[in-house]
Amino acid sequence: MFTVSEAAAAQIKESAKQSQSEGLPLRIAAKKNVDGSFHYGVGFEEKTKEEDLAFKSHDITILIAPQSIELLNGTEMDYVKMDDGEERFIFKNPNDPGY
């Protein structure tokens, strides 16, 4: 299962509003690089595929393709303030060796 925190959900809703993507699901993807690190992709999706897995978290519909689900299982997407003051999304992923 993949979840988003309340802070992430609020920011996703704001981003959707600003980009006129309200009501669209959010696609999350992950791939493992050759060095073992993870690369994440996030974006609003207009087209869903039959094989997509869909989850709801804090009223956000999340789409994940089957090839990413194993890498993302148990992950929480959060929106946090970093030490340098910058705010950004992070992935709390127990499968990611960089976490």
Side-chain angles (χ1 to χ4, degrees):
M1 166 140 320
F2 184 95
T3 59
V4 296
S5 69
E6 283 187 49
Q11 186 59 39
I12 291 165
K13 289 174 184 176
E14 182 59 31
S15 295
K17 186 177 179 181
Q18 289 177 3
S19 65
Q20 298 177 353
S21 299
E22 290 173 294
L24 293 179
L26 189 70
R27 180 173 296 280
I28 309 290
K31 78 173 193 176
K32 196 172 197 177
N33 296 318
V34 289
D35 66 358
S37 65
F38 279 33
H39 176 77
Y40 298 96
V42 179
F44 293 106
E45 183 66 70
E46 291 185 16
K47 298 177 186 174
T48 60
K49 298 175 184 166
E50 190 173 314
E51 66 270 13
D52 285 337
L53 301 169
F55 303 91
K56 272 242 189 225
S57 183
H58 294 286
D59 292 328
I60 304 294
T61 300
I62 307 293
L63 298 177
I64 300 176
Q67 60 269 27
S68 292
I69 196 63
E70 189 174 312
L71 297 175
L72 292 169
N73 191 32
T75 300
E76 180 186 44
M77 183 177 172
D78 200 0
Y79 190 73
V80 298
K81 183 179 265 191
M82 305 304 287
D83 289 337
D84 63 3
E86 177 186 356
E87 293 180 340
R88 67 177 174 197
F89 290 105
I90 62 167
F91 293 89
K92 297 176 180 177
N93 184 347
N95 307 304
D96 185 342
Y99 173 65

